[in-house]
Each structure stands twice: as C-alpha cells, then as structure tokens.
Amino acid sequence: SDPRFTAFVQLRYSEASKSGGPYAKQKLTELLITPVQRMPRYLLLLEGIIRLTPDEHKDKAVLKEALEGFGKAAQRINEDKRIAEGRLKILNLPNVIEGLPPTVVSSTRTISEIVNNVELLEVVEAEPLVVP
C-alpha cells in the first residue's frame, strides 16, 4: 500500500529481469515461499544421509539430533503459517459477512472469540437490556 515500496519492488524486479540472473523470472511471492519449501528438502536429505550412515559411525547421533531439530523447526513453521493464514481470514471477515461490526475483528482474536462476540451482540440487539 506504500507507493514508495511498490516503486522500489517494481524497480528491483525490472533490474533483475534485465540482468537474467537466477531469480529473474520469479515473482516476489515465489521468492518468499522458497525458504518454507527448503525445510522439507532438508528433512528428506537428512533422513537419507542417516539411512545410509552406518550405525557405528561417529556422526550418526549428531545427524539424528539435527533431524530432530529440523523436525521441530518444520513443525513450528507450519504452526506459524497456519496461525498467520487464520489471522488473514479473520481480517477478511468484514468483506465476507455483511453487517459485521469492524470492531469485532482483530488480528489477535480467534474465530471462536469473534463468533462468541457476534452472538453476544445479536442477543444484546434482540433483547433490550432492562435495568430496574
């Protein structure tokens, strides 16, 4: 949304396209996903190395530790990605649900919190509060 950033990205993309470098034909979204795609490759590579490494080899234990660490990192990446995608869906709710008050939506809220909040609003609007 920042025009200066947009101009910067377009300029760099144009320069990369002209240079014919390894990333010249890739778009920014493709480049951003590359690190996420590398993690499964590293896991497969380590699994293959471990499978081919004799049990008595001095590096076998270290390779297994590395695999465990990469596995934990991959799980964290997947969880963070799932959370980020959920937040984007939440932020898009006012575009999907007609009449949804904008104050209900927040990137820090969960879907269940929003549903409970909307149900509470519907109850409050349907039944006026009577104070004795």
Side-chain angles (χ1 to χ4, degrees), residues 40-57:
R41 290 183 195 155
Y42 294 145
L43 287 168
L44 291 172
L45 177 63
L46 274 171
E47 287 171 351
I49 292 171
I50 291 169
R51 190 174 50 253
L52 297 173
T53 302
D55 290 337
E56 62 276 357
H57 195 281

Side-chain angles (χ1 to χ4, degrees), residues 1-15:
S1 57
D2 183 352
R4 294 176 300 167
F5 179 71
T6 303
F8 170 79
V9 170
Q10 289 173 343
L11 176 66
R12 295 295 175 246
Y13 181 72
S14 173
E15 289 173 355

Side-chain angles (χ1 to χ4, degrees), residues 18-68:
K18 290 176 187 172
S19 72
Y23 305 111
K25 302 290 182 195
Q26 291 182 306
K27 296 188 180 196
L28 180 61
T29 53
E30 294 167 342
L31 292 172
L32 291 174
I33 194 68
T34 300
V36 176
Q37 292 173 335
R38 284 187 183 147
M39 187 62 70
R41 290 183 195 155
Y42 294 145
L43 287 168
L44 291 172
L45 177 63
L46 274 171
E47 287 171 351
I49 292 171
I50 291 169
R51 190 174 50 253
L52 297 173
T53 302
D55 290 337
E56 62 276 357
H57 195 281
K58 64 178 181 154
D59 292 335
K60 184 98 175 200
V62 175
L63 289 168
K64 287 182 177 181
E65 286 178 32
L67 179 62
E68 185 180 330

Side-chain angles (χ1 to χ4, degrees), residues 7-8 18 30 35 45-47 50 52 54-55 58 68 77-78 85 87-88 92 97 99 107 109 119-120 122 130:
F8 170 79
K18 290 176 187 172
E30 294 167 342
L45 177 63
L46 274 171
E47 287 171 351
I50 291 169
L52 297 173
D55 290 337
K58 64 178 181 154
E68 185 180 330
I77 288 170
N78 289 337
E85 288 170 351
R87 287 186 177 152
L88 284 174
N92 192 43
I97 302 173
S107 65
R109 284 192 172 151
E119 288 173 357
L120 180 62
E122 289 173 357
V130 179

